[in-house]
C-alpha cells in the first residue's frame, strides 16, 4: 500500500464534523463552557493549528519520551545524586513539585474543555492531544517526587499541597481556577495556552531544564524538558484562536482576556520563578537574572506576538516593567520570614558573593533590600533567631492572594503610598496589591467576590486558635514539614 | 569556516560567522546551504536536528524545514533565514550578512 504523506489526508480526517439535527448548536456549545458565540459557526472553521501531528505520530512520540525519561530516572534514583544537590536547588524542585504537579493534572480539565467545547474540529483535535499531555504531566510529576520520599518526605507535597489550605496553594488554586478549571474554551485558549504557556512557562521550562543539568540534577532536567516538548505543541492553540477573534472584529475581547491573565501570570511567576532564579539556584549555575530572563525571553516573545496580531501592550505595561526591579525581591523577603509556612526550605541567598551579584543585576539592591537583610544578618549573628520571624500576618491581595508589599515598592521608588488599594463591593471590603489586580476584580466582580484570602479567613475566625500555631495547622504543616533556612544560616556567617 | 571534508553529504554543522550562529547543511545530491543556526520556534540548535532527504526535523519539538528552500514544512507558516555561501576548492565560506 502506498504511504500517503501527512499533508494528503490530514485536513480531511481532522475536519470530520457533525451536522446537528436533533439538538441546537447552542445546546451543544453552551456559551458558559464554550465562550465562542461572539464569532459565527462558519467563521470558526478557519481555525488552523500551525504544527500538525497525527494520532499515530503523537502516540509514537509520547511513548518514546516516556521510555527515555523513566529509564533515566531509574538509572539515577539508585545513585546518591539527590544527597549531593545544592540545598537551594532542592528547594527549587520541592517548591516546583508542590505548586505545579496538581495544576498540570487540572490543566487536563482545561484542555478537555477545549476538546469538547471548542467550535472547530481542528481545535478539538489539537486539544485532545493537549488533554492527554496534561494527564501525563500530572502523573510523571507525581511519580518523580515519589521517588524522593526516602530522602525528602516533603516530596509528597506534589500531591498534598493542593489538598491543603497552605497560602501558596490557595494562591495557585485561585489562579488556576480562574485560568482554566472554571473557564470557557475560548478564554482557556487565550489565557492558558497563549498567555501563560506560550508567554511564560514554555520559556521557563527551557531555562529550568538547562539549570537542572548545570547543577547536576539530570533527573529533573530530563523531566522538565520532556514536559516542555508537549507544552510547546499544545500551547499553539492560542494563536489560531486569537486570530479567529481578531479576523471577526473581536480584538478588544481578546486583548481584555490577555491583559487580565498576563498580569496574573506575572504575579505567579515572580513568586515561583523569581525566587528560584535569583535566590535559590546556586550562584555558579545562574546564567541570567530573573529580570534578564523576563526581558530577553518573555517580553521579547510577547512583543513579537503583539506585533504579529496587532494587539496592544497591556495598559499597565510601565508598572509591570518597573516591578521587574523590586517586586520579587520583596516577596522573597516575606517568604523567607514566613519560612515555616512553606513546604520547602527557603534559601536566603544573601551571602556576600550573592549580594554582590544582586547589586550588579539590580543596581540599588543594597540600598533597599540589602539594608533589610543587614538587620536579619545581625540578628542571626548574635543568635537572636527569634527576631527573624514575624508576628503578624501580612495583608493579602484579594486577586493574586500574595502578600501586599507596597511598602517595599515605596522604598524602591515605584509607589508613593504603602497602603493597599481598597474597593467595596456589595458591602464587603476587598484589598489589592496593585492597580492591575484591582482592575481584574472590578471588571468582573461576580467571578471573584466569593473567594476569601488567607487573611479574610483568619479575620473571620476560620483559623483557630488565631495564632501562629493555628495558622500552621490550618496550612497543613506539621513541624517536620515546615520550611527552615536552607543552609542553616551559612550566608550570615560569611559563607 | 569549514572544508568539504568536514561536511559530508547529509551532514549538518553549526558555525559562527561574526555575531551570527549559522547552520551549514550538505544536502543529498551535493548542494550546500547555510541558514540561521537557531530554530525559529524555541532557539534549539538546528544542527542537532535530523536530516532526512531535504527535510530537517528540529531536535526541540519536531518542527520540519525544507533545507533546499528554507521553507517551513510543519508548521508551514515560517521560514529559515538563509546566508550566502561560497565554495572555493575544498573551502566553504559563509557571509554573515543577511541578504
Ligand atoms: S525549537 Fe525547534 S521545534 Fe521547538
Ligand atoms: Fe503541562
Ligand atoms: Fe500545558
Amino acid at each position: 500500500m502506498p504511504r500517503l504523506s501527512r499533508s494528503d489526508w490530514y485536513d480531511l480526517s481532522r475536519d470530520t464534523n457533525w451536522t446537528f439535527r436533533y439538538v441546537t448548536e447552542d445546546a451543544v456549545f453552551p456559551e458558559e463552557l464554550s465562550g465562542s458565540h461572539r464569532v459565527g459557526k462558519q467563521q470558526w472553521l478557519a481555525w488552523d493549528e500551525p504544527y500538525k501531528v497525527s494520532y499515530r505520530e503523537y502516540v509514537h512520540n509520547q511513548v518514546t519520551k516516556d521510555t527515555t525519561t523513566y529509564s533515566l530516572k531509574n538509572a539515577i534514583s539508585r545513585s546518591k545524586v539527590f544527597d549531593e544537590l545544592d540545598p537551594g536547588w532542592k528547594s527549587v524542585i520541592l517548591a516546583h513539585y508542590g505548586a505545579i504537579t496538581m495544576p498540570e493534572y487540572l490543566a487536563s480539565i482545561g484542555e478537555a474543555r477545549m476538546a469538547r467545547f471548542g467550535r472547530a474540529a481542528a481545535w478539538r483535535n489539537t486539544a485532545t492531544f493537549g488533554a492527554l499531555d496534561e494527564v501525563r504531566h500530572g502523573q510523571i510529576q507525581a511519580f518523580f517526587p515519589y521517588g524522593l520520599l526516602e530522602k525528602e518526605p516533603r516530596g509528597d507535597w506534589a500531591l498534598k499541597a493542593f489538598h491543603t489550605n497552605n497560602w501558596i496553594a490557595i494562591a495557585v488554586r485561585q489562579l488556576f481556577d480562574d485560568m482554566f478549571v472554571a473557564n470557557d474554551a475560548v478564554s482557556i485558549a487565550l489565557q492558558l495556552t497563549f498567555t501563560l504557556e506560550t508567554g511564560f512557562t514554555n520559556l521557563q521550562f527551557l531555562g529550568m531544564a538547562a539549570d537542572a543539568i548545570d547543577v547536576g540534577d539530570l533527573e529533573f532536567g530530563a523531566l522538565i524538558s520532556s514536559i516542555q516538548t508537549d507544552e510547546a505543541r499544545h500551547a499553539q492553540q492560542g494563536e489560531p484562536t486569537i486570530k479567529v477573534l481578531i479576523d471577526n472584529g473581536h480584538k478588544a475581547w481578546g486583548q481584555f482576556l490577555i491583559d487580565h491573565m498576563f498580569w496574573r501570570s506575572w504575579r505567579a511567576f515572580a513568586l515561583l520563578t523569581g525566587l528560584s532564579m535569583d535566590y535559590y539556584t546556586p550562584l555558579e549555575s545562574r546564567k541570567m537574572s530573573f529580570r534578564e530572563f523576563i526581558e530577553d525571553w518573555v517580553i521579547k516573545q510577547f512583543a513579537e506576538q503583539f506585533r504579529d496580531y496587532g494587539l496592544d501592550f497591556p495598559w499597565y505595561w510601565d508598572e509591570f516593567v518597573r516591578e521587574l526591579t523590586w517586586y520579587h525581591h520583596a516577596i522573597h523577603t516575606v517568604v523567607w520570614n514566613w519560612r515555616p509556612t512553606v513546604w520547602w526550605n527557603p534559601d536566603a541567598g544573601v551571602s556576600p558573593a550573592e549580594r554582590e551579584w544582586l547589586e550588579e543585576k539590580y543596581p540599588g539592591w543594597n540600598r533597599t533590600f540589602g539594608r533589610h537583610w543587614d538587620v536579619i544578618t545581625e540578628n542571626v549573628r548574635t543568635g537572636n533567631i527569634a527576631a527573624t520571624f514575624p508576628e503578624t500576618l501580612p495583608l493579602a491581595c484579594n486577586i493574586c492572594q500574595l502578600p501586599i508589599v507596597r511598602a517595599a515598592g515605596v522604598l524602591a521608588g515605584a509607589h508613593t503610598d504603602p497602603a493597599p488599594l481598597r474597593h467595596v463591593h456589595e458591602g464587603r471590603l476587598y484589598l489589592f496589591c496593585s492597580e492591575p489586580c484591582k482592575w481584574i476584580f472590578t471588571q468582573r466582580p461576580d467571578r471573584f467576590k466569593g473567594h476569601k484570602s488567607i487573611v479574610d479567613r483568619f479575620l473571620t475566625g476560620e483559623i483557630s486558635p488565631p495564632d501562629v500555631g493555628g495558622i500552621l495547622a490550618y496550612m497543613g504543616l506539621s513541624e517536620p514539614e515546615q520550611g527552615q533556612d536552607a543552609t542553616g544560616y551559612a550566608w550570615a556567617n560569611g559563607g | 569556516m569549514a572544508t568539504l571534508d568536514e561536511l559530508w553529504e547529509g551532514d549538518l554543522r553549526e558555525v559562527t560567522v561574526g555575531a551570527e550562529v549559522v547552520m551549514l547543511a550538505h544536502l543529498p545530491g551535493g548542494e550546500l546551504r547555510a541558514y540561521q543556526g537557531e530554530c525559529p520556534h524555541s532557539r534549539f540548535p538546528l544542527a542537532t536536528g535530523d536530516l532526512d532527504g531535504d527535510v530537517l526535523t528540529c531536535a526541540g519539538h519536531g518542527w520540519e524545514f525544507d533545507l533546499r528552500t528554507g521553507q517551513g514544512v510543519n508548521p508551514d507558516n515560517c521560514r529559515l533565514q538563509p546566508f550566502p555561501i561560497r565554495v572555493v576548492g575544498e573551502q566553504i565560506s559563509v557571509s554573515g550578512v543577511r541578504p
Side-chain angles (χ1 to χ4, degrees):
Chain A
M1 214 173 79
R3 241 183 74 187
L4 295 174
S5 78
R6 190 199 305 107
S7 54
D8 295 331
W9 54 265
Y10 186 84
D11 286 355
L12 179 67
S13 75
R14 180 195 70 173
D15 292 332
T16 302
N17 222 335
W18 287 279
T19 307
F20 304 120
R21 280 185 296 145
Y22 306 109
V23 281
T24 61
E25 183 86 6
D26 274 17
V28 180
F29 298 105
E31 184 61 355
E32 296 83 343
L33 291 158
S34 182
S36 63
H37 292 198
R38 284 180 174 77
V39 174
K41 179 182 168 193
Q42 283 307 315
Q43 282 70 40
W44 277 110
L45 299 182
W47 199 101
D48 186 34
E49 78 283 16
Y51 180 78
K52 324 257 193 250
V53 65
S54 66
Y55 185 68
R56 174 198 281 256
E57 291 166 319
Y58 176 81
V59 172
H60 175 80
N61 290 342
Q62 300 305 90
V63 168
T64 315
K65 285 185 212 171
D66 267 0
T67 315
T68 323
T69 319
Y70 281 94
S71 54
L72 190 109
K73 179 189 183 301
N74 287 339
I76 290 176
S77 56
R78 284 188 291 271
S79 71
K80 289 205 176 53
V81 171
F82 186 78
D83 299 327
E84 282 152 19
L85 289 175
D86 174 89
W89 181 259
K90 288 181 183 166
S91 303
V92 169
I93 63 176
L94 277 189
H96 172 92
Y97 283 133
I100 300 303
T101 301
M102 288 307 283
E104 293 265 27
Y105 191 62
L106 290 172
S108 71
I109 298 176
E111 291 285 342
R113 187 154 305 133
M114 296 191 287
R116 168 61 181 80
F117 297 102
R119 284 295 278 288
W123 181 6
R124 297 193 292 270
N125 187 55
T126 310
T128 303
F129 296 140
L132 295 172
D133 288 341
E134 301 296 14
V135 170
R136 173 173 110 90
H137 299 175
Q139 292 183 339
I140 197 168
Q141 284 177 107
F143 185 64
F144 273 52
Y146 173 75
L148 299 180
L149 289 182
E150 237 173 76
K151 289 163 177 166
E152 175 45 273
R154 291 175 295 177
D156 72 350
W157 277 71
L159 275 183
K160 179 174 171 177
F162 255 53
H163 301 94
T164 72
N165 283 314
N166 181 273
W167 67 280
I168 306 265
I170 292 176
V172 178
R173 203 157 52 208
Q174 200 265 19
L175 168 67
F176 290 137
D177 282 355
D178 184 23
M179 190 186 304
F180 47 80
V181 181
N183 214 1
D184 63 71
V186 166
S187 303
I188 293 170
L190 264 56
Q191 300 192 312
L192 168 63
T193 69
F194 187 81
T195 308
L196 181 78
E197 292 186 329
T198 311
F200 288 88
T201 49
N202 231 322
L203 307 172
Q204 179 233 0
F205 272 40
L206 278 175
M208 235 188 165
D211 288 351
I213 305 295
D214 203 79
V215 302
D217 191 351
L218 302 182
E219 176 174 308
F220 193 71
L223 170 73
I224 291 298
S225 35
S226 175
I227 291 170
Q228 196 270 344
T229 57
D230 295 348
E231 218 62 25
R233 171 175 30 70
H234 65 237
Q236 60 167 343
Q237 292 170 86
E239 281 182 50
T241 311
I242 185 89
K243 197 164 175 307
V244 168
L245 281 185
I246 292 174
D247 289 349
N248 291 283
H250 293 288
K251 179 180 139 181
W253 179 240
Q255 179 87 47
F256 168 76
L257 292 172
I258 292 167
D259 289 1
H260 167 167
M261 202 47 76
F262 181 90
W263 183 260
R264 298 216 60 183
S265 306
W266 153 242
R267 275 282 177 271
F269 246 67
L271 167 71
L272 294 167
T273 310
L275 276 48
S276 291
M277 286 187 79
D278 283 355
Y279 292 94
Y280 298 177
T281 300
L283 189 56
E284 59 282 6
S285 296
R286 290 180 202 163
K287 281 171 219 66
M288 53 170 100
S289 67
F290 177 59
R291 178 189 179 177
E292 287 164 342
F293 166 72
I294 298 282
E295 285 173 351
D296 295 357
W297 289 83
V298 176
I299 293 189
K300 187 167 169 277
Q301 160 106 359
F302 271 104
E304 275 168 22
Q305 285 178 343
F306 291 154
R307 187 199 55 217
D308 290 354
Y309 298 102
L311 294 162
D312 301 315
F313 285 90
W315 59 268
Y316 48 73
W317 196 255
D318 292 343
E319 177 163 2
F320 157 65
V321 172
R322 253 195 323 259
E323 278 203 355
L324 293 176
T325 62
W326 68 273
Y327 179 74
H328 70 292
H329 298 304
I331 293 291
H332 169 61
T333 314
V334 180
V335 169
W336 188 85
N337 286 338
W338 278 93
R339 53 202 178 283
T341 67
V342 295
W343 61 86
W344 65 88
N345 293 338
D347 190 344
V350 289
S351 67
E354 287 168 310
R355 290 183 60 144
E356 215 171 284
W357 182 87
L358 285 162
E359 179 64 28
E360 180 203 321
K361 297 294 183 186
Y362 300 90
W365 184 92
N366 268 323
R367 198 169 11 88
T368 46
F369 298 97
R371 274 202 201 156
H372 175 84
W373 284 101
D374 289 341
V375 177
I376 297 177
T377 308
E378 196 45 40
N379 281 326
V380 172
R381 280 191 189 148
T382 53
N384 192 3
I385 302 289
T388 68
F389 293 101
E391 271 136 36
T392 51
L393 275 181
L395 292 172
C397 173
N398 279 113
I399 283 292
C400 69
Q401 310 298 318
L402 300 186
I404 297 178
V405 291
R406 291 180 69 86
V410 173
L411 269 182
H415 293 312
T416 48
D417 185 357
L421 306 180
R422 300 158 60 93
H423 177 72
V424 176
H425 181 78
E426 292 173 357
R428 180 177 156 193
L429 172 67
Y430 296 84
L431 301 179
F432 302 101
C433 66
S434 59
E435 291 293 347
C437 274
K438 181 176 173 188
W439 173 80
I440 289 166
F441 181 94
T442 52
Q443 291 293 307
R444 296 189 281 180
D446 284 349
R447 201 171 169 78
F448 304 106
K449 65 183 182 189
H451 188 271
K452 284 177 163 182
S453 73
I454 186 83
V455 179
D456 295 330
R457 297 172 197 205
F458 186 79
L459 296 175
T460 53
E462 270 175 57
I463 302 177
S464 74
D467 56 20
V468 172
I471 292 172
L472 290 169
Y474 184 78
M475 291 188 183
L477 288 145
S478 67
E479 214 196 307
E481 291 170 288
Q482 297 165 12
Q484 299 169 10
D485 180 73
T487 61
Y489 307 103
W491 46 273
N493 303 309
Chain B
M1 184 87 345
T3 64
L4 281 173
D5 211 33
E6 295 165 328
L7 190 75
W8 292 18
E9 215 170 291
D11 277 356
L12 302 167
R13 188 185 170 122
E14 186 178 288
V15 295
T16 16
V17 186
E20 304 275 2
V21 182
V22 173
M23 172 194 53
L24 281 178
H26 193 158
L27 302 180
E31 282 193 60
L32 294 167
R33 291 285 188 277
Y35 294 105
Q36 66 189 74
E38 292 181 337
C39 181
H41 179 227
S42 282
R43 306 192 199 169
F44 266 67
L46 285 171
T48 60
D50 234 19
L51 187 63
D52 182 7
D54 288 347
V55 176
L56 171 76
T57 304
C58 175
H61 316 94
W63 279 27
E64 296 160 6
F65 306 92
D66 182 338
L67 292 191
R68 209 157 282 273
T69 60
Q71 179 60 43
V73 176
N74 186 17
D76 60 11
N77 60 356
C78 65
R79 69 186 299 127
L80 299 176
Q81 165 77 45
F83 289 92
I85 198 165
R86 218 165 43 137
V87 185
V88 180
E90 280 286 293
Q91 194 61 38
I92 310 168
S93 58
V94 177
S95 148
V97 187
R98 293 163 183 254

